[in-house]
């Protein structure tokens, strides 16, 4: 069965901490892995990863994919209260199938 | 285990037909569920908020007569795409907030292809 598992489900840190969010997957014919940040109701796109070992970076956020071990991590350095959100991982596979993980809720305390 | 399920995971339908997508909350009752649609360049758009026992709340620009939402019970919301057209082909995902609205759980999504 195709699945996408995110961990941890929730995480509480303090401002300035660095966090690592995990997304593992088991799908057939992997195509891509996407990360979203969801605040309130509307998720915003962060990264799309297709190749192993190539880090994508945007400000304090970075992500990398390991297609051999079937997982990706999303790193956030020097966290701020504005980073508090649910972070979603989605995996595209087969021709145009997609599956979302349940998300990780990050809370950054001042 | 999964907290939210969607059925079907993928569906292909002909232009002009209607298709129903189910979203089920497996672990808890939900008076509210959210429906999203994925657009090109990976963006997710909130379509509507499904409210148990009352009408759904649609976001601006979403046609309520085309995307019918029925929150039939505290564990089930359905999205029916009526008179589907190829431009409705997309990935539809639902989410369910828990009772305290502190956690939100996403379904695995449904890929709709209209031919």
């Amino acid at each position: 069965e195709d699945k996408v598992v995110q961990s941890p489900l929730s995480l509480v840190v303090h401002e300035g901490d660095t966090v690592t969010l995990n997304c593992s997957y088991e799908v057939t014919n992997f195509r891509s892995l996407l990360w979203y940040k969801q605040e309130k109701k509307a998720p915003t796109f962060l990264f799309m990863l297709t190749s192993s070992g190539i880090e994508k970076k945007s400000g304090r956020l970075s992500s990398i994919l390991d297609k051999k071990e079937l997982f990706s991590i999303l790193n956030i350095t020097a966290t701020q209260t504005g980073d508090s959100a649910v972070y979603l991982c989605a995996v595209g596979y087969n021709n145009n199938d997609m599956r979302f993980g349940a998300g990780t809720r990050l809370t950054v305390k001042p | 285990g999964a907290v939210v399920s969607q059925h079907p995971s993928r569906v292909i339908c002909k232009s002009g037909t209607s298709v129903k997508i189910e979203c089920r909350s497996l672990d808890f009752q939900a008076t509210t569920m959210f429906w999203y649609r994925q657009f090109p360049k990976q963006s997710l758009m909130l379509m509507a908020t499904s409210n148990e026992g009352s009408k759904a709340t649609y976001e601006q620009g979403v046609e309520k007569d085309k995307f019918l939402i029925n929150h039939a019970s505290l564990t089930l919301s359905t999205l029916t795409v009526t008179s589907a057209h190829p431009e409705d082909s997309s990935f539809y995902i639902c989410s369910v907030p828990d009772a305290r609205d502190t956690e939100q759980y996403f379904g695995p999504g449904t890929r709709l292809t209209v031919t």
Side-chain angles (χ1 to χ4, degrees):
Chain A
E1 181 185 345
D2 301 309
K3 59 183 179 181
V4 177
V5 179
Q6 291 187 245
S7 63
L9 292 180
S10 64
L11 186 59
V12 181
V13 300
H14 287 92
E15 275 193 315
D17 288 349
T18 294
V19 298
T20 299
L21 310 183
N22 302 283
C23 176
S24 63
Y25 60 91
E26 289 182 31
V27 300
T28 50
N29 301 318
F30 171 89
R31 292 185 297 109
S32 62
L33 187 145
L34 295 84
W35 284 98
Y36 293 88
K37 176 184 181 182
Q38 193 212 19
E39 299 172 276
K40 297 181 181 178
K41 296 181 183 177
T44 53
F45 171 74
L46 295 176
F47 300 112
M48 184 173 79
L49 304 158
T50 56
S51 302
S52 271
I54 299 175
E55 184 183 55
K56 293 221 172 176
K57 199 170 173 66
S58 176
R60 295 177 293 104
L61 277 66
S62 64
S63 183
I64 197 162
L65 173 67
D66 186 329
K67 290 167 73 173
K68 182 179 178 183
E69 300 297 328
L70 309 182
F71 75 94
S72 172
I73 58 173
L74 175 68
N75 277 320
I76 309 175
T77 59
T79 52
Q80 302 171 358
T81 55
D83 296 326
S84 296
V86 173
Y87 290 84
L88 290 169
C89 167
V91 174
Y93 61 103
N94 286 333
N95 193 21
N96 60 0
D97 288 327
M98 181 163 283
R99 183 164 286 262
F100 276 70
T104 293
R105 177 172 289 276
L106 173 65
T107 302
V108 182
K109 292 188 172 182
Chain B
V3 178
V4 178
S5 70
Q6 281 186 238
H7 177 81
S9 59
R10 70 176 95 167
V11 57
I12 301 172
C13 71
K14 292 186 176 181
S15 189
T17 62
S18 295
V19 61
K20 180 185 289 187
I21 302 170
E22 294 183 348
C23 176
R24 289 184 186 275
S25 176
L26 303 177
D27 280 7
F28 52 86
Q29 295 180 330
T31 56
T32 301
M33 295 184 183
F34 300 107
W35 285 97
Y36 300 85
R37 175 177 175 177
Q38 186 189 39
F39 279 93
K41 298 187 178 180
Q42 299 84 38
S43 64
L44 283 179
M45 180 194 80
L46 176 66
M47 298 175 66
T49 303
S50 175
N51 305 300
E52 191 271 337
S54 64
K55 292 181 180 180
T57 305
Y58 289 83
E59 297 298 307
Q60 191 172 9
V62 178
E63 298 176 62
K64 60 180 68 175
D65 294 330
K66 180 166 182 63
F67 298 99
L68 300 178
I69 291 173
N70 182 16
H71 201 130
S73 73
L74 287 170
T75 58
L76 173 65
S77 174
T78 59
L79 168 68
T80 301
V81 182
T82 62
S83 187
H85 289 123
E87 55 265 33
D88 298 325
S89 297
S90 189
F91 188 81
Y92 294 87
I93 184 169
C94 70
S95 72
V96 180
D98 69 2
R100 295 174 296 165
D101 202 16
T102 57
E103 301 281 347
Q104 186 151 161
Y105 301 93
F106 283 79
T110 297
R111 168 70 68 183
L112 170 63
T113 303
V114 184
T115 60

